């Protein structure tokens, strides 16, 4: 067998020179094939070819006819066999040729029952049958290939079991780094930690790269590299790891730039400076392209890339442990990239990949910057983002907030799953000195999950950081926490949550104003800016600071924001300036109803509008109903960020909720500096949950241990608010709340008794908080709670809470009412040259409207105070 699985046949069948087809083989019922096992055929052809990898010269394929449904066409491939000859004290593989080069067809059946097959070769328009026959497939316990789940947000196997990827990048190895033996160690460590995902690149010159040895399109010199991928797939299958395979490396089509920092020399590294100058596609190296930008339009290069994709699918596509094909890793980093130029190119490659892949693996593409244009280039199965924080020696960045920012931008495509597939504190070298214990990995990974990503975040620097510092167990708690959550069958969505404390708490304000201030910039259509309950700010760089009026209908677009203040607060909007030509009218809409309308005279400046906003999630829309533009200075919420951050997902029909609570002062920087945050005690409120009895478990994110449990009954008097009193927090805490009694509860099979379960993963304990509060509520007679050994909490009773006093209602100003600002402009303000825009075509004015005027650059300080408009 190959890779230790059953085969129908692995004999050699010779294509007769008289072209007489080989008679059908007898069905082998004595050796049936298990569903999702590999069936491999290998054989010789009587003719040799200068380039047997070119399907326009010779094309081998297999047709497999299932018991039900359409036949599957599987491409064949030519392979030089290799084997590792190192047997003792091996630090890297020592490969040697092993036998004759043969043709192969690899196939994985997904249905049980009798399959029929035909192996054939096509050359110069003629078709030769190599072998025909049938085989029996029996059921197995293998889950199958990974698909997008029915709910559209997560992943599931063919057998409908959820696949929730947790792991890291394992992009490559190299000879001095241990070669294939390094992969064996990495995959062993990932599996032992409970992870199930890795991302690797098969287009680099120092490890696995089909075209890099050259000449482009001929893979004879790449057969050793291809053997490495064969072996990695074998290792991944044995260890339950699923691979995201990057097919085109962006750096092969751009120029390498030296990092702006000094890279530590004591750490061995592969020659990652390879770039376009070394590429086999470069005409200077015998390739078809005079420059890398021509890749997007050159048909010869597209054909060569399609040939590579076909070989990849033929040799490795059989494996269900290929989670997804990543066509290109950073398309926006390739020289000459524009969305208009790249879209046809990516669509053509994606369509071809779907055509030749009979297994319908998931397909994605990567980008350096989170841009909606990239995800709209081609029909992808899921979006992916990456995050490297800006480097600042003065102020350590909040990498959790930054990752939430890029994830929030990915929600412009809410109909497909999304993953954070690459991140680190440092884009140039491993952050061993900054964060030796991997605190930023824990925070980013948990935050990504609770922000709605379809899996954990995938860290970079797998070899010189995670493996070197033995940080694999940072992934284990999340793997344990997420393992039994019904990701694919539920409808888990990010929800706003409320944190409150019996003690006085200061909430920090949040302000966003990084708008595009170039005049006359234009905001993109149909964009929603989501400010998470945690206070992570989305990027506003694409939003124009200008709300245009009737004189500029083609630019007049309302701007929409989703906010979720944890407490009643105040919305503040600074209108920095108004056109000197004509007045403007700011309309503020909250949850579909007009909350305020403010009239501005021409040339108004520095007007601050304040408006009360109640706690909870709201949709805020700003529009200009006046004649000419107004310029926004900033938008601020006075009380928003709590000392803790909390993110949560919930299915409000089934009654499932998961949450992650993080102490804001527990950061990689504070841990490295030896700072211990003060313990904080809060309660968590999850709104709009269905009535019933909930089993709540508290998890230590450092160890994966369940450190507390309680039952909470949510009745009609609770108004749908599930209140959970948290353990004291100095670092992080995760919470799971499953409704176990009540109407339409989730099935018992979906819930695991974590109090009695023995963990399957060996953990290295990490110090945790030991202070545990004692609840003084008197338990009801009908409710029992099983406590863990580390918990001293008493059982929680059926809670009958007094509803929280409602917030002060917002003043609603009818369209006929106005708040008028009559303040004139500063005398010293000098307008910029005017710009003329076309008025509304349907409007027939009695006179030609004056041209709209561009604003003057904003001074750093203004001598006059703000004019404040307060909406009660």
């Amino acid at each position: 067998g190959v890779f230790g699985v059953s085969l129908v046949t692995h004999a050699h069948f010779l294509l007769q020179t008289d072209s007489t087809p080989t008679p059908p083989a007898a069905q082998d019922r004595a050796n049936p094939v298990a569903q999702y096992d590999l069936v491999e055929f290998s054989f010789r052809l009587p003719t040799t070819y200068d380039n047997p990898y070119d399907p326009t010269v010779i094309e081998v394929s297999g047709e497999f006819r299932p018991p039900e449904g359409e036949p599957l066409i599987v491409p064949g491939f030519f392979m030089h066999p290799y084997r590792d000859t190192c047997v003792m004290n091996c630090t890297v593989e020592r490969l040697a040729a092993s036998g004759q080069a043969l043709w192969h067809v690899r196939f994985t059946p997904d249905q049980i029952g009798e399959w029929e097959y035909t192996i054939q070769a096509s050359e110069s328009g003629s078709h030769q049958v190599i072998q025909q026959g049938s085989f029996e497939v029996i059921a197995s316990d293998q889950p199958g290939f990974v698909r997008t789940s029915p709910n559209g947000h997560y992943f599931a196997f063919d057998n409908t079991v959820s696949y929730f990827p947790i792991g890291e990048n394992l992009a490559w190895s190299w000879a001095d780094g241990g070669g294939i033996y390094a992969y064996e160690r990495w995959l062993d460590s990932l599996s032992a930690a409970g992870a199930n995902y890795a991302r690797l690149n098969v287009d680099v010159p120092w490890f696995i790269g089909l075209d890099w040895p050259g000449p482009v399109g001929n893979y004879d010199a790449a057969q050793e590299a291809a053997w490495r991928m064969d072996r990695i797939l074998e290792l991944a299958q044995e260890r339950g790891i699923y691979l995201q395979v990057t097919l085109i490396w962006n750096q092969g089509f751009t120029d390498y730039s030296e990092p702006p920092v000094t890279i530590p020399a004591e750490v061995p590294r592969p020659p990652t400076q390879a770039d376009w100058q070394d590429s086999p596609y470069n005409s200077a190296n015998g390739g078809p392209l005079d420059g890398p930008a021509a890749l997007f339009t050159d048909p010869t290069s597209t054909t060569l890339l399609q040939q590579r994709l076909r070989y990849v699918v033929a040799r490795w596509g059989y494996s269900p442990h290929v989670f997804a094909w990543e066509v290109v890793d950073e398309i926006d980093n390739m020289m000459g990239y524009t969305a208009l130029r790249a879209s046809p190119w990516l669509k053509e490659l994606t369509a071809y990949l779907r055509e030749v892949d009979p297994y319908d693996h998931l397909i994605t593409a990567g980008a350096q910057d989170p841009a909606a244009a990239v995800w709209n280039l081609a029909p992808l199965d899921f979006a992916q983002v990456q995050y490297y924080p800006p480097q600042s020696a003065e102020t350590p960045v909040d990498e959790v907030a930054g990752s939430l920012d890029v994830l929030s931008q990915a929600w412009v495509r809410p109909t497909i799953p999304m993953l954070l597939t690459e991140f680190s504190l440092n884009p140039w070298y491993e952050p061993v000195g900054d964060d030796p214990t991997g605190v930023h990995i824990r925070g980013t990974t948990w935050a990504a999950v609770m922000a709605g990503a379809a899996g954990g975040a995938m860290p970079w620097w797998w070899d010189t950081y995670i493996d070197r510092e033995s940080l694999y167990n940072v992934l284990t708690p999340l793997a344990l926490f997420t393992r039994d959550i019904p990701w694919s069958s539920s409808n888990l969505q990010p929800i706003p949550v409320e944190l409150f404390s019996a003690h006085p708490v200061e909430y920090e304000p949040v302000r966003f104003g990084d708008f595009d201030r170039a005049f006359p910039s234009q905001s993109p259509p149909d964009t929603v800016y989501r400010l998470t309950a945690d206070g992570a700010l989305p990027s506003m760089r694409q939003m124009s600071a200008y709300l245009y009026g009737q004189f500029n209908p083609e630019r007049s677009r309302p701007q929409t924001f989703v906010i979720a203040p944890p407490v009643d607060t105040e919305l503040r909007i600074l209108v920095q300036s108004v056109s000197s030509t004509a007045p403007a009218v700011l309309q503020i809409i909250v949850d579909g109803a007009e909350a305020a309308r403010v009239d501005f005279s021409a040339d108004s400046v520095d007007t601050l509008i304040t408006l009360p906003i109640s706690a909870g999630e709201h949709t805020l829309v700003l529009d200009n109903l006046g004649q000419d533009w107004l310029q926004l200075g900033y938008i601020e919420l006075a009380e928003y960020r709590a000392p803790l951050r909390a993110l949560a997902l919930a299915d409000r029909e089934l009654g499932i909720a998961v949450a992650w609570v993080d102490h804001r002062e527990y950061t990689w920087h504070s841990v490295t500096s030896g700072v211990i945050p003060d313990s904080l005690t809060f309660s968590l409120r999850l709104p709009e949950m269905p009535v019933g009895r909930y089993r709540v478990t508290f998890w230590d994110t450092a160890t994966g241990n369940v450190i507390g449990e309680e039952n909470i009954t949510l009745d009609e008097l609770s108004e749908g608010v599930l209140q959970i009193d948290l353990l004291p927090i100095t670092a992080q805490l995760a919470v799971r709340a499953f409704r176990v009694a009540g109407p339409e509860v989730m099935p018992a099979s979906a819930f695991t008794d974590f109090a009695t379960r023995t963990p399957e993963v060996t953990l290295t304990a990490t110090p945790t908080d030991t202070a545990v509060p004692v609840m003084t509520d008197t338990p009801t007679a009908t409710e029992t709670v099983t406590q863990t050994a580390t918990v001293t909490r008493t059982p929680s009773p059926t809670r009958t809470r007094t509803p929280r006093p409602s917030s002060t209602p917002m003043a609603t100003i009818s369209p006929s009412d106005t708040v008028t600002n009559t303040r004139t402009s500063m005398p010293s303000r000098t307008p910029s040259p005017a710009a003329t825009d076309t008025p509304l075509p349907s409007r027939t004015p009695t006179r030609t409207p004056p041209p709209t005027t561009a604003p003057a650059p904003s001074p750093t300080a203004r001598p006059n105070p703000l004019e404040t408009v307060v909406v009660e």
Side-chain angles (χ1 to χ4, degrees):
V2 174
F3 302 162
V5 298
S6 300
L7 303 178
V8 172
T9 179
H10 201 218
H12 298 284
F13 297 97
L14 177 64
L15 177 64
Q16 304 297 319
T17 56
D18 60 2
S19 301
T20 303
T22 304
Q27 186 182 46
D28 186 0
R29 293 187 179 276
N31 296 292
V33 180
Q35 186 183 22
Y36 298 114
D37 267 357
L38 170 63
V39 180
E40 182 166 2
F41 302 84
S42 59
F43 47 90
R44 291 178 287 116
L45 295 182
T47 306
T48 59
Y49 304 91
D50 291 337
N51 185 4
Y53 311 99
D54 185 351
T56 64
V57 174
I58 173 66
E59 182 176 14
V60 171
S61 63
E63 179 181 275
F64 294 86
R65 299 175 289 279
E68 296 181 3
E70 297 297 319
L72 300 179
I73 306 300
V74 179
F77 64 98
F78 189 69
M79 182 179 83
H80 291 269
Y82 280 83
R83 64 186 178 90
D84 185 7
T85 61
C86 186
V87 293
M88 292 184 62
N89 301 321
C90 301
T91 58
V92 68
E93 66 272 11
R94 186 184 304 137
L95 300 184
S98 175
Q100 185 182 19
L102 296 172
W103 290 90
H104 294 255
V105 173
R106 290 174 174 172
F107 175 64
T108 299
D110 61 348
Q111 291 186 30
I112 60 174
E114 184 177 334
W115 285 75
E116 296 179 345
Y117 68 89
T118 300
I119 309 298
Q120 65 180 11
S122 300
E123 178 183 1
S124 302
S126 63
H127 303 282
Q128 309 269 348
V129 173
I130 310 299
Q131 174 75 13
Q132 297 182 85
S134 62
F135 53 88
E136 187 75 14
V137 177
I138 60 175
S140 75
D141 58 359
Q142 298 185 58
F145 293 87
V146 179
R147 316 294 183 192
T148 301
S149 64
N151 60 26
H153 297 296
Y154 296 98
F155 304 112
F157 293 105
D158 282 333
N159 68 353
T160 73
V161 172
S162 297
Y163 171 64
F164 195 80
I166 294 174
E168 63 171 335
N169 284 273
L170 297 179
W172 49 68
S173 183
W174 73 104
D176 291 341
I180 205 68
Y181 297 130
Y183 263 96
E184 187 167 359
R185 184 179 70 252
W186 299 336
L187 291 169
D188 278 342
S189 299
L190 274 180
S191 180
N196 59 6
Y197 167 100
R199 176 173 174 247
L200 77 157
N201 196 316
V202 295
D203 184 32
V204 294
W206 57 84
F207 193 60
I208 302 174
L210 294 177
D211 277 321
W212 280 95
V216 62
N218 188 314
Y219 312 135
D220 269 344
Q223 290 301 296
E224 291 187 24
W227 176 91
R228 295 188 184 102
M229 184 60 186
D230 288 341
R231 179 61 179 153
I232 290 171
L233 266 180
E234 177 186 353
L235 294 170
Q237 177 176 319
E238 292 170 352
R239 290 153 180 78
I241 307 295
Y242 293 81
L243 305 177
Q244 181 171 323
V245 183
T246 301
L247 305 177
I248 300 173
W249 185 41
N250 79 91
Q251 197 168 298
F253 298 96
T254 190
D255 289 330
Y256 174 77
S257 298
E258 288 290 340
V261 296
T262 301
I263 306 298
E266 66 273 12
V267 179
R269 306 177 192 278
T272 55
Q273 68 273 16
D275 65 359
W276 166 249
Q277 304 305 321
D278 310 289
S279 172
Y281 281 80
N282 190 331
S283 60
N285 303 321
L289 299 177
D290 292 331
L295 174 73
F296 295 118
T297 55
D298 179 65
T300 301
S301 297
T302 299
T303 299
L304 288 168
L305 287 174
Q306 288 175 336
Q307 177 185 315
R308 185 202 298 177
L309 299 186
R310 183 185 186 278
Y311 192 86
V312 166
V313 169
R315 188 155 181 171
W316 304 313
Y318 74 89
S319 177
H321 284 261
V322 172
F323 157 59
W325 305 121
E326 182 177 348
V327 180
V328 57
D329 56 347
E330 292 181 2
I331 190 172
D332 56 340
N333 201 36
M334 301 171 80
M335 197 168 292
Y337 167 83
T338 66
L340 184 64
R341 181 180 295 142
S343 180
W345 177 80
L346 187 59
K347 283 180 179 177
E348 187 172 0
L349 288 181
T350 301
Y352 181 81
L353 189 53
R354 294 194 191 280
E355 177 186 346
V356 297
D357 183 0
Y359 309 104
D360 295 326
H361 289 90
L362 300 176
I363 298 176
T364 188
Q368 189 175 48
D369 295 319
V374 172
W375 302 316
N376 290 320
L377 292 178
L380 304 175
D381 294 310
F382 65 92
Q384 57 174 334
V385 295
Q386 60 176 258
Y387 176 66
Y388 291 91
Q391 302 301 297
S392 172
E394 295 79 19
T395 306
V397 298
D398 183 347
E399 84 288 343
V400 171
S403 61
L404 290 173
D405 178 11
V406 299
L407 287 166
S408 69
Q409 296 179 55
W411 286 117
V412 297
R413 288 287 304 278
T415 59
I416 61 176
M418 171 263 297
L419 284 176
L420 177 56
T421 55
E422 190 176 321
F423 77 92
S424 181
L425 285 181
N426 193 324
W428 298 300
Y429 59 89
E430 56 286 333
V432 174
D434 292 329
D435 183 14
T437 61
V439 173
H440 83 282
I441 297 178
R442 180 178 297 113
T444 304
T445 302
W446 281 86
V449 171
M450 297 303 170
M458 312 304 174
W460 194 254
W461 306 119
W462 61 97
D463 49 354
T464 57
Y465 179 48
I466 294 174
D467 188 66
R468 174 182 168 188
E469 302 297 318
S470 299
L471 298 179
Y472 296 99
N473 277 350
V474 173
L475 304 174
T476 301
L478 185 63
L480 291 171
F481 181 86
T482 60
R483 185 172 56 188
D484 297 311
I485 296 173
W487 299 103
S488 63
S489 58
S490 61
N491 186 29
L492 288 165
Q493 299 276 351
I495 63 167
V497 295
E498 182 181 351
L499 285 169
F500 72 98
S501 174
H503 308 288
V505 174
E506 290 187 8
Y507 291 84
E508 296 179 358
V510 295
R511 175 185 293 188
F512 42 99
D514 58 331
F515 311 123
D516 183 352
R517 298 190 179 276
F519 187 85
S521 58
Q522 182 173 328
S523 297
D526 304 323
T527 301
V528 176
Y529 302 95
R530 183 177 295 273
L531 177 61
T532 68
D534 164 63
L537 296 173
S539 173
M540 303 286 180
R541 290 185 294 271
Q542 62 179 347
M543 174 184 154
S544 174
Y546 300 93
L547 295 178
Y548 299 95
Q550 298 173 15
F551 290 175
N552 303 275
E554 71 283 358
R555 298 194 192 108
S556 180
R557 290 172 180 163
Q559 297 302 300
T560 303
F561 310 85
V562 175
I563 59 176
V567 294
D568 298 345
T569 187
E570 183 178 76
L571 171 68
R572 300 166 182 167
I573 302 173
L574 174 66
V575 176
Q576 186 167 305
S577 59
V578 176
S579 168
S580 61
T581 304
V585 177
L586 176 64
Q587 183 188 42
I588 304 173
I589 299 173
V590 179
D591 297 330
E594 185 178 83
R597 183 180 295 195
V598 182
D599 286 354
F600 294 91
S601 58
D603 230 2
S604 299
V605 294
D606 289 347
T607 304
L608 182 66
I609 299 128
T610 64
L611 182 73
I613 294 287
S614 62
E617 184 171 278
H618 301 285
T619 300
L620 171 68
V621 179
L622 303 182
D623 199 4
N624 181 2
L625 304 182
Q627 294 177 303
D628 214 346
W629 56 260
L630 62 84
Q631 180 186 185
L632 296 173
Y634 60 78
I635 302 170
E636 183 178 81
L637 290 150
E639 294 179 296
Y640 205 98
R641 285 197 183 103
L644 302 179
R645 75 172 107 224
L647 301 171
L649 304 170
D651 182 326
R652 285 163 163 164
E653 292 186 4
L654 288 179
I656 304 173
V658 292
W660 174 70
V661 185
D662 175 45
H663 198 302
R664 290 188 186 276
E665 294 182 6
Y666 173 73
T667 66
W668 61 267
H669 186 260
S670 66
V671 171
T672 304
S673 303
V675 176
I676 301 176
D678 293 335
S679 179
L680 298 175
T681 304
F682 272 72
S683 292
L684 182 71
R685 283 176 171 167
L686 306 175
E688 301 179 30
M689 299 298 290
V691 298
R693 183 162 60 89
Y694 288 79
R695 186 178 185 188
V696 179
T697 51
F698 301 91
W699 297 65
D700 186 334
T701 64
T703 66
N705 293 328
V706 176
I707 56 175
E709 297 179 5
E710 66 174 323
N711 286 351
I712 300 176
T713 298
L714 186 64
D715 55 28
E716 298 289 350
L717 297 178
S718 302
E719 297 184 339
V721 177
L722 179 63
Q723 178 173 313
I724 301 171
D725 298 330
L726 303 175
L727 302 175
I729 297 175
T730 60
Q732 298 173 352
L733 181 71
V735 180
R736 286 178 29 161
F738 284 178
R739 190 170 59 141
V740 295
E744 300 178 1
V745 298
M746 60 186 299
S749 60
F751 186 80
T752 300
D753 188 346
F754 293 97
T756 60
R757 176 170 59 84
T758 301
E760 298 177 1
V761 181
T762 302
L763 298 174
T764 301
T766 302
T768 58
D769 299 331
T770 56
V772 181
V774 176
M775 299 183 63
T776 57
D777 298 330
T778 303
T780 64
T782 59
E783 202 170 273
T784 60
V785 180
T786 303
Q787 301 290 341
T788 65
T790 59
V791 179
T792 59
R793 303 179 72 166
T794 61
S796 177
T798 299
R799 300 177 184 266
T800 304
R801 301 188 182 92
T802 303
R804 187 180 181 212
S806 60
S807 305
T808 305
M810 293 182 298
T812 302
I813 302 179
S814 64
S816 59
D817 296 329
T818 59
V819 180
T820 304
N821 169 45
T822 57
R823 185 172 181 266
T824 59
S825 63
M826 296 187 302
S828 60
R829 183 171 181 268
T830 304
S832 300
T836 304
D837 289 294
T838 306
L840 281 166
S842 60
R843 184 162 57 91
T844 309
T846 55
R847 61 181 179 85
T848 302
T852 186
T853 306
S858 301
T860 56
R862 296 180 183 272
N864 293 339
L866 292 175
E867 178 77 10
T868 303
V869 176
V870 180
V871 180
E872 300 294 341

